[in-house]
Amino acid sequence: MNQTSKTKKLTTSSLMVAISVVLVLISKAIPSVWLQGGSITLASAVPIIAVSLLYGWGWGISAGLAFSLIQMMTGFYPPPTQTVWNFILVVMLDYILAFGVIGMAGIIYKGLGKRAFAMPLSAFIVTTLRYVCHILSGVIIWGVYAEEGQSVLAYSIIYNGTYMIPEII
């Protein structure tokens, strides 16, 4: 890869991450009803997915990871953890993995043979994988907020579904 091509990919990826951040910040201007985090954004995953579709999974995952770091800097919710391990686990599940998997859209797109339905299906799959990361985090860490007698899994699916299902759509 020549230097111009790499510079163009880096610049485009950086701009797409910046667009994702702006879409999140616009959404944060609207009062949130989610006390432990999460919000419906204006399709903030789309620019990251676009990087992955344009330049492949390596660039997509890198953009997703950069986005996750910025997300942590602009809206980190301290988890109710008792150990350092649990703290690391929630950071991995709610940020690093959750936003990193968005960058895998290019792998799925390529695997589907670049058919007409491949782009929306790739986006659906990676945002659903993000939802799964948040569900796991909810079960492992955030389940302490579940109401007495409520299944921690049900709590996590419902809580995270209130903002992730609109995100997936």
mmCIF file of all heavy atoms in Angstrom, residues 25-67:
data_model
loop_
_atom_site.group_PDB
_atom_site.id
_atom_site.type_symbol
_atom_site.label_atom_id
_atom_site.label_comp_id
_atom_site.label_asym_id
_atom_site.label_seq_id
_atom_site.Cartn_x
_atom_site.Cartn_y
_atom_site.Cartn_z
ATOM 1 N N LEU A 25 -22.953 12.964 20.408
ATOM 2 C CA LEU A 25 -23.065 14.204 21.183
ATOM 3 C C LEU A 25 -24.397 14.913 20.922
ATOM 4 O O LEU A 25 -24.984 15.486 21.841
ATOM 5 C CB LEU A 25 -21.888 15.125 20.889
ATOM 6 C CG LEU A 25 -20.532 14.616 21.392
ATOM 7 C CD1 LEU A 25 -19.411 15.539 20.928
ATOM 8 C CD2 LEU A 25 -20.523 14.445 22.898
ATOM 9 N N ILE A 26 -24.876 14.883 19.697
ATOM 10 C CA ILE A 26 -26.192 15.458 19.396
ATOM 11 C C ILE A 26 -27.258 14.722 20.198
ATOM 12 O O ILE A 26 -28.139 15.333 20.788
ATOM 13 C CB ILE A 26 -26.494 15.393 17.878
ATOM 14 C CG1 ILE A 26 -25.599 16.370 17.118
ATOM 15 C CG2 ILE A 26 -27.978 15.687 17.613
ATOM 16 C CD1 ILE A 26 -25.646 16.190 15.609
ATOM 17 N N SER A 27 -27.150 13.402 20.240
ATOM 18 C CA SER A 27 -28.116 12.592 20.986
ATOM 19 C C SER A 27 -28.055 12.870 22.479
ATOM 20 O O SER A 27 -29.067 12.807 23.168
ATOM 21 C CB SER A 27 -27.860 11.111 20.727
ATOM 22 O OG SER A 27 -27.988 10.843 19.355
ATOM 23 N N LYS A 28 -26.860 13.164 22.996
ATOM 24 C CA LYS A 28 -26.714 13.432 24.430
ATOM 25 C C LYS A 28 -27.341 14.761 24.836
ATOM 26 O O LYS A 28 -27.581 14.992 26.017
ATOM 27 C CB LYS A 28 -25.249 13.394 24.835
ATOM 28 C CG LYS A 28 -24.713 11.987 24.898
ATOM 29 C CD LYS A 28 -23.320 11.941 25.444
ATOM 30 C CE LYS A 28 -22.883 10.491 25.505
ATOM 31 N NZ LYS A 28 -21.599 10.334 26.145
ATOM 32 N N ALA A 29 -27.620 15.624 23.863
ATOM 33 C CA ALA A 29 -28.282 16.890 24.164
ATOM 34 C C ALA A 29 -29.738 16.669 24.562
ATOM 35 O O ALA A 29 -30.357 17.510 25.196
ATOM 36 C CB ALA A 29 -28.191 17.831 22.965
ATOM 37 N N ILE A 30 -30.261 15.501 24.201
ATOM 38 C CA ILE A 30 -31.629 15.128 24.555
ATOM 39 C C ILE A 30 -31.570 14.434 25.913
ATOM 40 O O ILE A 30 -30.762 13.520 26.101
ATOM 41 C CB ILE A 30 -32.223 14.181 23.493
ATOM 42 C CG1 ILE A 30 -32.200 14.859 22.119
ATOM 43 C CG2 ILE A 30 -33.621 13.733 23.870
ATOM 44 C CD1 ILE A 30 -32.410 13.910 20.968
ATOM 45 N N PRO A 31 -32.386 14.843 26.876
ATOM 46 C CA PRO A 31 -32.348 14.193 28.203
ATOM 47 C C PRO A 31 -32.525 12.682 28.097
ATOM 48 O O PRO A 31 -33.363 12.190 27.346
ATOM 49 C CB PRO A 31 -33.518 14.835 28.946
ATOM 50 C CG PRO A 31 -33.766 16.124 28.245
ATOM 51 C CD PRO A 31 -33.379 15.906 26.804
ATOM 52 N N SER A 32 -31.720 11.954 28.860
ATOM 53 C CA SER A 32 -31.733 10.500 28.814
ATOM 54 C C SER A 32 -32.576 9.921 29.947
ATOM 55 O O SER A 32 -32.596 10.448 31.046
ATOM 56 C CB SER A 32 -30.302 9.967 28.929
ATOM 57 O OG SER A 32 -30.317 8.562 28.934
ATOM 58 N N VAL A 33 -33.239 8.829 29.651
ATOM 59 C CA VAL A 33 -34.015 8.137 30.671
ATOM 60 C C VAL A 33 -33.260 6.920 31.203
ATOM 61 O O VAL A 33 -33.717 6.248 32.102
ATOM 62 C CB VAL A 33 -35.396 7.684 30.130
ATOM 63 C CG1 VAL A 33 -36.233 8.874 29.745
ATOM 64 C CG2 VAL A 33 -35.236 6.719 28.975
ATOM 65 N N TRP A 34 -32.079 6.648 30.657
ATOM 66 C CA TRP A 34 -31.296 5.492 31.045
ATOM 67 C C TRP A 34 -30.322 5.884 32.151
ATOM 68 O O TRP A 34 -29.348 6.575 31.926
ATOM 69 C CB TRP A 34 -30.542 4.922 29.844
ATOM 70 C CG TRP A 34 -31.474 4.352 28.828
ATOM 71 C CD1 TRP A 34 -31.980 3.094 28.801
ATOM 72 C CD2 TRP A 34 -32.035 5.025 27.692
ATOM 73 N NE1 TRP A 34 -32.821 2.936 27.729
ATOM 74 C CE2 TRP A 34 -32.863 4.106 27.020
ATOM 75 C CE3 TRP A 34 -31.904 6.307 27.161
ATOM 76 C CZ2 TRP A 34 -33.565 4.429 25.875
ATOM 77 C CZ3 TRP A 34 -32.604 6.617 26.025
ATOM 78 C CH2 TRP A 34 -33.423 5.690 25.394
ATOM 79 N N LEU A 35 -30.593 5.418 33.344
ATOM 80 C CA LEU A 35 -29.808 5.815 34.505
ATOM 81 C C LEU A 35 -28.426 5.184 34.539
ATOM 82 O O LEU A 35 -27.486 5.780 35.047
ATOM 83 C CB LEU A 35 -30.565 5.474 35.796
ATOM 84 C CG LEU A 35 -31.929 6.135 35.942
ATOM 85 C CD1 LEU A 35 -32.622 5.641 37.199
ATOM 86 C CD2 LEU A 35 -31.785 7.645 35.972
ATOM 87 N N GLN A 36 -28.273 3.980 34.026
ATOM 88 C CA GLN A 36 -26.985 3.306 34.050
ATOM 89 C C GLN A 36 -26.261 3.370 32.708
ATOM 90 O O GLN A 36 -25.355 2.609 32.454
ATOM 91 C CB GLN A 36 -27.146 1.836 34.464
ATOM 92 C CG GLN A 36 -27.461 1.638 35.918
ATOM 93 C CD GLN A 36 -28.942 1.758 36.208
ATOM 94 O OE1 GLN A 36 -29.772 1.257 35.468
ATOM 95 N NE2 GLN A 36 -29.276 2.438 37.277
ATOM 96 N N GLY A 37 -26.642 4.280 31.862
ATOM 97 C CA GLY A 37 -25.957 4.419 30.581
ATOM 98 C C GLY A 37 -26.788 3.909 29.421
ATOM 99 O O GLY A 37 -27.856 3.338 29.600
ATOM 100 N N GLY A 38 -26.252 4.119 28.237
ATOM 101 C CA GLY A 38 -26.941 3.735 27.022
ATOM 102 C C GLY A 38 -27.811 4.873 26.530
ATOM 103 O O GLY A 38 -28.333 5.644 27.336
ATOM 104 N N SER A 39 -27.901 4.997 25.237
ATOM 105 C CA SER A 39 -28.767 6.015 24.658
ATOM 106 C C SER A 39 -29.029 5.671 23.203
ATOM 107 O O SER A 39 -28.242 4.984 22.566
ATOM 108 C CB SER A 39 -28.135 7.406 24.764
ATOM 109 O OG SER A 39 -26.950 7.466 24.011
ATOM 110 N N ILE A 40 -30.136 6.168 22.713
ATOM 111 C CA ILE A 40 -30.448 6.022 21.292
ATOM 112 C C ILE A 40 -29.735 7.163 20.586
ATOM 113 O O ILE A 40 -29.901 8.323 20.941
ATOM 114 C CB ILE A 40 -31.961 6.091 21.039
ATOM 115 C CG1 ILE A 40 -32.674 4.963 21.783
ATOM 116 C CG2 ILE A 40 -32.255 6.018 19.542
ATOM 117 C CD1 ILE A 40 -34.179 5.076 21.791
ATOM 118 N N THR A 41 -28.908 6.822 19.612
ATOM 119 C CA THR A 41 -28.176 7.853 18.885
ATOM 120 C C THR A 41 -28.716 7.970 17.468
ATOM 121 O O THR A 41 -29.538 7.170 17.033
ATOM 122 C CB THR A 41 -26.671 7.539 18.830
ATOM 123 O OG1 THR A 41 -26.470 6.355 18.043
ATOM 124 C CG2 THR A 41 -26.086 7.346 20.220
ATOM 125 N N LEU A 42 -28.215 8.946 16.780
ATOM 126 C CA LEU A 42 -28.612 9.162 15.388
ATOM 127 C C LEU A 42 -27.735 8.320 14.468
ATOM 128 O O LEU A 42 -26.906 8.830 13.735
ATOM 129 C CB LEU A 42 -28.486 10.648 15.034
ATOM 130 C CG LEU A 42 -29.336 11.601 15.865
ATOM 131 C CD1 LEU A 42 -28.959 13.049 15.574
ATOM 132 C CD2 LEU A 42 -30.806 11.366 15.580
ATOM 133 N N ALA A 43 -27.862 6.994 14.567
ATOM 134 C CA ALA A 43 -27.136 6.055 13.709
ATOM 135 C C ALA A 43 -25.624 6.238 13.810
ATOM 136 O O ALA A 43 -24.916 6.234 12.805
ATOM 137 C CB ALA A 43 -27.611 6.179 12.271
ATOM 138 N N SER A 44 -25.119 6.353 15.030
ATOM 139 C CA SER A 44 -23.684 6.598 15.217
ATOM 140 C C SER A 44 -22.810 5.433 14.758
ATOM 141 O O SER A 44 -21.621 5.622 14.517
ATOM 142 C CB SER A 44 -23.388 6.924 16.682
ATOM 143 O OG SER A 44 -23.664 5.812 17.505
ATOM 144 N N ALA A 45 -23.363 4.247 14.610
ATOM 145 C CA ALA A 45 -22.574 3.098 14.150
ATOM 146 C C ALA A 45 -22.359 3.117 12.638
ATOM 147 O O ALA A 45 -21.410 2.502 12.139
ATOM 148 C CB ALA A 45 -23.251 1.798 14.555
ATOM 149 N N VAL A 46 -23.194 3.824 11.918
ATOM 150 C CA VAL A 46 -23.129 3.805 10.450
ATOM 151 C C VAL A 46 -21.767 4.242 9.899
ATOM 152 O O VAL A 46 -21.219 3.566 9.028
ATOM 153 C CB VAL A 46 -24.294 4.618 9.829
ATOM 154 C CG1 VAL A 46 -24.121 4.775 8.328
ATOM 155 C CG2 VAL A 46 -25.623 3.947 10.157
ATOM 156 N N PRO A 47 -21.173 5.339 10.385
ATOM 157 C CA PRO A 47 -19.852 5.701 9.846
ATOM 158 C C PRO A 47 -18.774 4.645 10.119
ATOM 159 O O PRO A 47 -17.905 4.417 9.268
ATOM 160 C CB PRO A 47 -19.525 7.016 10.558
ATOM 161 C CG PRO A 47 -20.858 7.584 10.936
ATOM 162 C CD PRO A 47 -21.705 6.392 11.260
ATOM 163 N N ILE A 48 -18.838 3.977 11.259
ATOM 164 C CA ILE A 48 -17.860 2.927 11.571
ATOM 165 C C ILE A 48 -18.078 1.731 10.647
ATOM 166 O O ILE A 48 -17.126 1.145 10.119
ATOM 167 C CB ILE A 48 -17.954 2.496 13.057
ATOM 168 C CG1 ILE A 48 -17.846 3.695 14.001
ATOM 169 C CG2 ILE A 48 -16.918 1.424 13.377
ATOM 170 C CD1 ILE A 48 -16.600 4.525 13.879
ATOM 171 N N ILE A 49 -19.331 1.386 10.434
ATOM 172 C CA ILE A 49 -19.662 0.303 9.506
ATOM 173 C C ILE A 49 -19.167 0.661 8.101
ATOM 174 O O ILE A 49 -18.609 -0.180 7.396
ATOM 175 C CB ILE A 49 -21.181 0.018 9.517
ATOM 176 C CG1 ILE A 49 -21.585 -0.588 10.861
ATOM 177 C CG2 ILE A 49 -21.582 -0.896 8.360
ATOM 178 C CD1 ILE A 49 -23.086 -0.658 11.103
ATOM 179 N N ALA A 50 -19.340 1.911 7.707
ATOM 180 C CA ALA A 50 -18.882 2.358 6.382
ATOM 181 C C ALA A 50 -17.378 2.187 6.224
ATOM 182 O O ALA A 50 -16.902 1.758 5.160
ATOM 183 C CB ALA A 50 -19.288 3.814 6.144
ATOM 184 N N VAL A 51 -16.616 2.500 7.255
ATOM 185 C CA VAL A 51 -15.154 2.319 7.193
ATOM 186 C C VAL A 51 -14.836 0.849 6.946
ATOM 187 O O VAL A 51 -14.002 0.522 6.100
ATOM 188 C CB VAL A 51 -14.465 2.810 8.497
ATOM 189 C CG1 VAL A 51 -13.008 2.374 8.548
ATOM 190 C CG2 VAL A 51 -14.568 4.310 8.637
ATOM 191 N N SER A 52 -15.503 -0.035 7.666
ATOM 192 C CA SER A 52 -15.259 -1.459 7.512
ATOM 193 C C SER A 52 -15.640 -1.955 6.115
ATOM 194 O O SER A 52 -14.928 -2.767 5.523
ATOM 195 C CB SER A 52 -16.032 -2.232 8.572
ATOM 196 O OG SER A 52 -15.699 -3.597 8.539
ATOM 197 N N LEU A 53 -16.744 -1.453 5.595
ATOM 198 C CA LEU A 53 -17.166 -1.861 4.255
ATOM 199 C C LEU A 53 -16.235 -1.317 3.185
ATOM 200 O O LEU A 53 -15.941 -1.991 2.199
ATOM 201 C CB LEU A 53 -18.600 -1.399 3.991
ATOM 202 C CG LEU A 53 -19.685 -2.045 4.854
ATOM 203 C CD1 LEU A 53 -21.036 -1.398 4.580
ATOM 204 C CD2 LEU A 53 -19.751 -3.544 4.649
ATOM 205 N N LEU A 54 -15.752 -0.087 3.391
ATOM 206 C CA LEU A 54 -14.858 0.538 2.414
ATOM 207 C C LEU A 54 -13.449 -0.036 2.430
ATOM 208 O O LEU A 54 -12.866 -0.297 1.377
ATOM 209 C CB LEU A 54 -14.757 2.051 2.672
ATOM 210 C CG LEU A 54 -15.932 2.912 2.258
ATOM 211 C CD1 LEU A 54 -15.762 4.324 2.806
ATOM 212 C CD2 LEU A 54 -16.044 2.936 0.740
ATOM 213 N N TYR A 55 -12.895 -0.209 3.630
ATOM 214 C CA TYR A 55 -11.469 -0.520 3.758
ATOM 215 C C TYR A 55 -11.159 -1.861 4.405
ATOM 216 O O TYR A 55 -10.001 -2.207 4.574
ATOM 217 C CB TYR A 55 -10.765 0.590 4.540
ATOM 218 C CG TYR A 55 -10.896 1.949 3.905
ATOM 219 C CD1 TYR A 55 -11.212 3.061 4.661
ATOM 220 C CD2 TYR A 55 -10.704 2.139 2.537
ATOM 221 C CE1 TYR A 55 -11.328 4.314 4.094
ATOM 222 C CE2 TYR A 55 -10.820 3.380 1.957
ATOM 223 C CZ TYR A 55 -11.137 4.470 2.744
ATOM 224 O OH TYR A 55 -11.249 5.707 2.175
ATOM 225 N N GLY A 56 -12.174 -2.599 4.808
ATOM 226 C CA GLY A 56 -11.941 -3.909 5.395
ATOM 227 C C GLY A 56 -12.007 -3.906 6.911
ATOM 228 O O GLY A 56 -12.075 -2.865 7.557
ATOM 229 N N TRP A 57 -11.988 -5.110 7.451
ATOM 230 C CA TRP A 57 -12.193 -5.289 8.889
ATOM 231 C C TRP A 57 -11.097 -4.667 9.740
ATOM 232 O O TRP A 57 -11.357 -4.203 10.841
ATOM 233 C CB TRP A 57 -12.379 -6.763 9.215
ATOM 234 C CG TRP A 57 -11.155 -7.597 8.954
ATOM 235 C CD1 TRP A 57 -10.834 -8.228 7.785
ATOM 236 C CD2 TRP A 57 -10.110 -7.864 9.866
ATOM 237 N NE1 TRP A 57 -9.638 -8.871 7.911
ATOM 238 C CE2 TRP A 57 -9.165 -8.669 9.190
ATOM 239 C CE3 TRP A 57 -9.857 -7.511 11.183
ATOM 240 C CZ2 TRP A 57 -8.001 -9.124 9.786
ATOM 241 C CZ3 TRP A 57 -8.690 -7.969 11.779
ATOM 242 C CH2 TRP A 57 -7.777 -8.761 11.087
ATOM 243 N N GLY A 58 -9.858 -4.659 9.274
ATOM 244 C CA GLY A 58 -8.765 -4.079 10.062
ATOM 245 C C GLY A 58 -8.991 -2.601 10.337
ATOM 246 O O GLY A 58 -8.896 -2.136 11.484
ATOM 247 N N TRP A 59 -9.315 -1.884 9.295
ATOM 248 C CA TRP A 59 -9.605 -0.452 9.440
ATOM 249 C C TRP A 59 -10.899 -0.251 10.221
ATOM 250 O O TRP A 59 -11.019 0.661 11.036
ATOM 251 C CB TRP A 59 -9.688 0.228 8.074
ATOM 252 C CG TRP A 59 -8.348 0.416 7.448
ATOM 253 C CD1 TRP A 59 -7.736 -0.423 6.557
ATOM 254 C CD2 TRP A 59 -7.445 1.491 7.681
ATOM 255 N NE1 TRP A 59 -6.508 0.072 6.233
ATOM 256 C CE2 TRP A 59 -6.302 1.255 6.895
ATOM 257 C CE3 TRP A 59 -7.486 2.637 8.471
ATOM 258 C CZ2 TRP A 59 -5.204 2.116 6.876
ATOM 259 C CZ3 TRP A 59 -6.402 3.498 8.448
ATOM 260 C CH2 TRP A 59 -5.278 3.241 7.665
ATOM 261 N N GLY A 60 -11.887 -1.109 9.976
ATOM 262 C CA GLY A 60 -13.169 -0.992 10.670
ATOM 263 C C GLY A 60 -13.042 -1.214 12.164
ATOM 264 O O GLY A 60 -13.578 -0.443 12.965
ATOM 265 N N ILE A 61 -12.314 -2.262 12.542
ATOM 266 C CA ILE A 61 -12.128 -2.533 13.970
ATOM 267 C C ILE A 61 -11.314 -1.413 14.614
ATOM 268 O O ILE A 61 -11.617 -0.979 15.725
ATOM 269 C CB ILE A 61 -11.499 -3.918 14.201
ATOM 270 C CG1 ILE A 61 -12.531 -5.008 13.837
ATOM 271 C CG2 ILE A 61 -11.010 -4.075 15.640
ATOM 272 C CD1 ILE A 61 -11.994 -6.413 13.871
ATOM 273 N N SER A 62 -10.293 -0.923 13.916
ATOM 274 C CA SER A 62 -9.502 0.196 14.449
ATOM 275 C C SER A 62 -10.376 1.428 14.671
ATOM 276 O O SER A 62 -10.268 2.102 15.703
ATOM 277 C CB SER A 62 -8.349 0.539 13.500
ATOM 278 O OG SER A 62 -7.453 -0.536 13.410
ATOM 279 N N ALA A 63 -11.249 1.718 13.716
ATOM 280 C CA ALA A 63 -12.163 2.861 13.865
ATOM 281 C C ALA A 63 -13.120 2.616 15.032
ATOM 282 O O ALA A 63 -13.395 3.524 15.822
ATOM 283 C CB ALA A 63 -12.943 3.089 12.567
ATOM 284 N N GLY A 64 -13.630 1.396 15.159
ATOM 285 C CA GLY A 64 -14.515 1.054 16.265
ATOM 286 C C GLY A 64 -13.826 1.194 17.614
ATOM 287 O O GLY A 64 -14.407 1.697 18.576
ATOM 288 N N LEU A 65 -12.556 0.777 17.689
ATOM 289 C CA LEU A 65 -11.803 0.904 18.938
ATOM 290 C C LEU A 65 -11.534 2.367 19.273
ATOM 291 O O LEU A 65 -11.644 2.771 20.438
ATOM 292 C CB LEU A 65 -10.508 0.109 18.858
ATOM 293 C CG LEU A 65 -10.672 -1.411 18.788
ATOM 294 C CD1 LEU A 65 -9.324 -2.092 18.612
ATOM 295 C CD2 LEU A 65 -11.400 -1.948 19.998
ATOM 296 N N ALA A 66 -11.189 3.160 18.257
ATOM 297 C CA ALA A 66 -10.983 4.598 18.496
ATOM 298 C C ALA A 66 -12.277 5.231 18.998
ATOM 299 O O ALA A 66 -12.273 6.026 19.948
ATOM 300 C CB ALA A 66 -10.509 5.280 17.214
ATOM 301 N N PHE A 67 -13.385 4.857 18.373
ATOM 302 C CA PHE A 67 -14.690 5.365 18.791
ATOM 303 C C PHE A 67 -14.991 4.963 20.233
ATOM 304 O O PHE A 67 -15.496 5.755 21.025
ATOM 305 C CB PHE A 67 -15.764 4.851 17.827
ATOM 306 C CG PHE A 67 -17.150 5.332 18.102
ATOM 307 C CD1 PHE A 67 -17.437 6.681 18.273
ATOM 308 C CD2 PHE A 67 -18.203 4.434 18.174
ATOM 309 C CE1 PHE A 67 -18.727 7.124 18.516
ATOM 310 C CE2 PHE A 67 -19.499 4.857 18.406
ATOM 311 C CZ PHE A 67 -19.757 6.205 18.585
#
